[in-house]
Amino acid sequence: MSKRTGIEWTDATWNPVTGCTRVSKGCEHCYAATLAGRLLRSAYLARTPVVDSDITRADPFAVRIWPERLAQPEKWREPRMIFVNSMSDLFHAHVPREFARSIFATMLRANWHTYQILTKRPARALRFWENNQDLFDDGPFPAHIWLGASVEDQSVAYRVRHLRSVPATVRFLSCEPLVGPLRLDLTGIHWLIAGGESGPVRRPMETEWVLELRNQCQAASVPFFFKQWGGRTPKAGGRELEGRLWDDMPRAVAG
C-alpha cells in the first residue's frame, strides 16, 4: 500500500493484485504496465504469476497475487479513500475467486475506509456480486465500497450499461485517458472523472471533449472531477478547466 499518491481523487493505493491485460484503447500506454516493466520489474518477476507458463513468468505485468498485503488497510486507523488495485483490475479473469473474496473480506472488516474499485470489466463485477452473496448478506455492495468503470471513448460506452446493473451506492466513471468524444447515459451514475493522457508517448485530448462531459454531468446532476490535461508528466498541463478546478465528489462524501 502507498500511504501517499499523486492521484488527486484518492488518498492511498492498495495493491493485493498486480498485473493485467490490454482490452481497449485506454490500455495502450498503461502507466501500471510501464511501471511493472521498469521500476518494479525485478520485484514482480520474483513472484510466480497466477497462470504459470514460460510466457507469463517472463512478463512482469502478468497477474500476480500478494497475500501478504491483504491486511494492510486494517493497520490504518484513520479513515481514508483507498484506490483498490491501481496496478491491476480486481475483476480480471486470472484473479482467483477465493483471493478476490479475501480482498472483499478485508474491505468489509476495515469498513472505516472508503474503497474505490475501478475496472474495465464491470460485467464481471456483477457476476462476482451474484456469485458471492454470502459476503454481502444478500444485499448490495455496502456504501463504503464504490464501483467504477473506465470509459475512454465511445467504443466502450457499453461499460456504463454494465456498471449500471451493479448494485452499488456509488457507481463512478473514469474517462481517463479520454481519447475521443463521449455521449453517455448517466442514469444511475454518481460521479465522473475525466483526464488526459500523460507520458512521453501520449494522445491529445480535445477541450471540446472535456467540456461536453462536464456539460453532460451538469445536466444530469452528476459530480464532475477534472483530473488533468496531461502532458509529458501528469501535472504538466495543469488541472484548470475554464479558469477553475473541478473537484466535485459523490454526494456520499460531499461536504
Side-chain angles (χ1 to χ4, degrees):
M1 178 184 283
S2 173
K3 295 183 180 181
R4 295 184 179 180
T5 175
I7 302 171
E8 289 83 355
W9 46 263
T10 196
D11 298 323
T13 57
W14 174 41
N15 284 289
V17 181
T18 60
C20 199
T21 49
R22 290 174 167 82
V23 292
S24 60
K25 294 177 185 176
C27 304
E28 288 181 14
H29 304 142
C30 175
Y31 75 91
T34 299
L35 281 173
R38 295 179 182 172
L39 296 177
L40 301 173
R41 181 180 181 84
S42 296
Y44 284 10
L45 291 179
R47 177 66 52 106
T48 302
V50 173
V51 177
D52 190 12
S53 70
D54 290 343
I55 293 174
T56 57
R57 281 196 299 275
D59 178 7
F61 205 51
V63 173
R64 290 169 168 84
I65 61 174
W66 305 81
E68 66 272 26
R69 300 177 181 177
L70 280 172
Q72 287 176 328
E74 298 178 82
K75 299 174 183 177
W76 285 10
R77 303 313 302 175
E78 181 184 348
R80 64 197 66 198
M81 308 277 287
I82 299 175
F83 181 10
V84 180
N85 286 336
S86 63
M87 295 292 292
S88 184
D89 188 326
L90 180 55
F91 300 108
H92 192 286
H94 291 176
V95 178
R97 177 174 179 264
E98 287 305 314
F99 195 73
R101 282 177 59 89
S102 296
I103 293 171
F104 271 94
T106 294
M107 292 189 281
L108 293 169
R109 287 193 304 271
N111 59 6
W112 55 91
H113 300 305
T114 297
Y115 299 90
Q116 300 157 306
I117 303 172
L118 181 60
T119 182
K120 287 184 171 65
R121 301 161 174 86
R124 289 186 58 84
L126 175 62
R127 288 198 293 275
F128 180 88
W129 174 81
E130 291 173 338
N131 295 330
N132 295 276
Q133 281 290 286
D134 60 301
L135 283 173
F136 310 110
D137 296 325
D138 295 321
F141 286 110
H144 71 287
I145 299 177
W146 300 0
L147 269 293
S150 298
V151 182
E152 64 266 28
D153 69 3
Q154 202 67 40
S155 69
V156 292
Y158 64 87
R159 293 175 185 159
V160 182
R161 184 178 72 254
H162 291 174
L163 179 65
R164 190 180 298 116
S165 68
V166 179
T169 300
V170 174
R171 304 182 198 92
F172 67 97
L173 302 179
S174 174
C175 302
E176 182 195 7
L178 184 60
V179 297
L182 276 170
R183 287 293 303 174
L184 301 173
D185 177 1
L186 295 176
T187 304
I189 302 302
H190 308 103
W191 188 33
L192 187 146
I193 304 160
E197 194 163 50
S198 58
V201 180
R202 57 193 178 276
R203 291 159 287 185
M205 178 178 65
E206 300 294 334
T207 302
E208 291 76 13
W209 302 346
V210 183
L211 291 175
E212 178 61 25
L213 276 179
R214 191 276 314 273
N215 294 343
Q216 290 176 59
C217 286
Q218 290 182 326
S221 298
V222 172
F224 176 73
F225 193 107
F226 184 55
K227 181 173 177 287
Q228 64 183 44
W229 285 105
R232 185 168 182 82
T233 66
K235 301 185 186 304
R239 298 187 55 232
E240 286 193 2
L241 174 65
E242 293 194 326
R244 57 160 287 191
L245 299 179
W246 298 80
D247 289 339
D248 296 346
M249 296 293 289
R251 301 290 185 262
V253 296

